[in-house]
Amino acid sequence: MQASDGSWATDRRRPSAEASESPTGVSGGCHGAPCDLVTVPARQGLEAVDILRRGAGEAPSVGPVVLDGTCDNLAFLVPPGTAAAWDMPGSACTETAGRGLRVPAEPPVTGGAWLLPPDAGTGQVTDPEVLRVALGEAARLIEAADGRR
């Protein structure tokens, strides 16, 4: 559903400026495949995580997810290069260090914590197209819930 002004409800809920910057505090013991970070407001991100986990078949459809230190934003680890083509309203995609960071043992956001930790070093990250669909569905669910208050 779209708001009366034609924009998605989450267009007005952008990740904080800090969440849209390149992550700091990446631990030296990185492992797995390189990745970028898609950052969204926590409410939309939690809905998307639920959507992705409900739709999971044999293979996981959601990779590691970080909750920032203020609990305002979630960051999904996605394949490197995603930032170059990411255009989802209400979110930001950060190309980490210009080459993608490696999935770290510790959350790649200072003060953050893993909501869903990396899978034992396999390097599994969230598919950006699957994430885009889940974020869109999450935005529609939030708008519907907010419209009924």
Side-chain angles (χ1 to χ4, degrees):
M1 280 186 206
Q2 290 186 320
S4 59
D5 64 358
S7 62
W8 288 103
T10 55
D11 287 349
R12 294 181 295 275
R13 295 181 189 96
R14 300 223 180 265
S16 67
E18 298 83 31
S20 298
E21 295 172 1
S22 292
T24 57
V26 177
S27 70
C30 295
H31 62 279
C35 57
D36 286 351
L37 296 173
V38 170
T39 308
V40 297
R43 184 175 178 200
Q44 184 181 13
L46 290 170
E47 287 288 346
V49 166
D50 285 346
I51 291 164
L52 291 167
R53 293 185 90 184
R54 278 194 314 257
E58 290 181 27
S61 59
V62 62
V65 179
V66 178
L67 181 62
D68 73 2
T70 61
C71 299
D72 290 334
N73 301 290
L74 287 184
F76 292 83
L77 280 67
V78 295
T82 299
W86 190 261
D87 61 354
M88 184 84 180
S91 67
C93 188
T94 306
E95 181 179 31
T96 56
R99 297 175 306 280
L101 67 89
R102 299 232 172 246
V103 177
E106 296 297 320
V109 177
T110 302
W114 290 115
L115 179 66
L116 296 174
D119 182 18
T122 62
Q124 180 71 28
V125 295
T126 303
D127 180 300
E129 292 307 315
V130 172
L131 178 58
R132 188 181 311 275
V133 170
L135 289 172
E137 184 176 338
R140 290 186 293 278
L141 288 171
I142 291 168
E143 186 163 342
D146 287 353
R148 294 185 183 158
R149 288 186 184 176

